Amino acid sequence: MKPSPRQNLTHQLTYDLGIAIVEGTYPVGGGLPSEADLCVQYNVSRSSTREAVKMLSAKGLISSRPKQGIRVLPENSWNMFDTDVLTWILSSKPSLALLKEFTQVRLAIEPQAAALAAMNATYEQLEDIEKALSRMVEADQGLDDPLDADIAFHTSILVASGNRFFVQLTEFIGTALRVSIRYTNKIKGVPGADVKKHADILNTIKSRNPDRARDAVTAILDEALELIDSQL
């Protein structure tokens, strides 16, 4: 079912205001125009404006209270695990410090996910990781998108871990990988990831060796951190 026109207007206003906040058009601690003024400024209904304000409040970007108006909250209140918030930040100001923090999150999660995949992955899930690796090979030949293939590989391991919390992180990891991988590949001067190292990860998972799987993922993430650190 297609979204209603009002839903589309709400989402567009949420996006426009979210980008404006992240880019500093509305600075932290400052106020946004009133809902009535936003209606006029963005040519949307009061109900759409109210819904957009609620969505931004839920994402931790603003607070809206009677007599205080709409205030922009500090960055440590923003929900970094919200894919909209993360996308806005990464599209407007993907700082090296932020990419480093994200890679540190990956380092805390993905090696363990690979170890769990080595123990828990079903035959179908192993096939999904293998298909993603095949896409990476094809991407090297110009037959697939290298970024999409790389993201599919890493997120399929999260799914194969069998850990429901890790599975919930696939969209978050995929969103940030879109910027992070592009950046580290640019530093290395290559269009795509090292297929051999990713094949080694798959083989350790298929051999049901959790320690080797953990070490194989740790190695490529340590390399990514070193690359980022070299540019800071």
Side-chain angles (χ1 to χ4, degrees), residues 132-151:
L133 183 67
S134 297
R135 288 185 61 191
M136 294 177 71
V137 173
E138 291 175 351
D140 272 356
Q141 302 166 354
L143 301 174
D144 205 326
D145 182 272
L147 193 55
D148 286 344
D150 201 353
I151 291 171

Side-chain angles (χ1 to χ4, degrees), residues 59 79-88 171-173 175:
K59 296 174 187 297
N79 182 4
M80 299 297 286
F81 286 97
D82 184 292
T83 53
D84 285 338
V85 175
L86 189 60
T87 299
W88 297 334
E171 191 176 358
F172 161 74
I173 294 286
T175 297

Side-chain angles (χ1 to χ4, degrees), residues 5-220:
R6 195 180 91 180
Q7 286 176 315
N8 285 331
L9 287 171
T10 299
H11 290 144
Q12 185 61 51
L13 180 57
T14 303
Y15 172 85
D16 290 341
L17 291 175
I19 285 286
I21 291 167
V22 166
E23 290 181 344
T25 303
Y26 301 113
V28 169
L32 262 67
S34 67
E35 288 186 5
D37 289 338
L38 288 172
C39 291
V40 175
Q41 185 176 335
Y42 289 92
N43 193 29
V44 294
S45 69
R46 190 66 178 265
S47 58
S48 291
T49 302
R50 191 173 297 115
E51 287 174 27
V53 167
K54 286 180 181 177
M55 291 174 73
L56 291 170
S57 297
K59 296 174 187 297
L61 270 67
I62 62 172
S63 66
S64 178
R65 295 174 183 166
K67 298 183 180 179
Q68 292 185 10
I70 307 170
R71 313 294 295 179
V72 178
L73 296 175
E75 288 189 27
N76 59 13
S77 297
W78 300 357
N79 182 4
M80 299 297 286
F81 286 97
D82 184 292
T83 53
D84 285 338
V85 175
L86 189 60
T87 299
W88 297 334
I89 294 171
L90 291 175
S91 64
S92 64
K93 52 175 184 180
S95 69
L96 283 173
L98 180 64
L99 293 180
K100 179 176 180 177
E101 288 179 39
F102 167 64
T103 306
Q104 290 169 336
V105 171
R106 292 185 65 197
L107 194 54
I109 294 169
E110 292 188 50
Q112 182 61 22
L116 290 171
M119 294 186 286
N120 301 327
T122 65
Y123 176 76
E124 290 77 13
Q125 288 168 339
L126 290 175
E127 273 196 329
D128 287 339
I129 302 171
E130 198 149 12
K131 286 175 185 175
L133 183 67
S134 297
R135 288 185 61 191
M136 294 177 71
V137 173
E138 291 175 351
D140 272 356
Q141 302 166 354
L143 301 174
D144 205 326
D145 182 272
L147 193 55
D148 286 344
D150 201 353
I151 291 171
F153 182 87
H154 290 286
T155 53
S156 62
I157 291 174
L158 290 173
V159 173
S161 72
N163 182 301
R164 285 173 286 181
F165 292 95
F166 287 173
V167 173
Q168 289 286 319
L169 291 172
T170 53
E171 191 176 358
F172 161 74
I173 294 286
T175 297
L177 278 176
R178 197 157 292 281
V179 172
S180 179
I181 291 174
R182 188 184 295 120
Y183 184 83
T184 51
N185 286 348
K186 183 179 178 181
I187 299 174
K188 290 186 285 187
V190 296
D194 188 322
V195 174
K196 183 181 182 304
K197 289 179 181 177
H198 286 69
D200 289 342
I201 293 171
L202 172 61
N203 289 333
T204 61
I205 292 173
K206 288 175 70 176
S207 66
R208 301 297 183 180
N209 190 320
D211 290 334
R212 286 184 58 210
R214 184 184 292 108
D215 290 345
V217 175
T218 298
I220 66 168

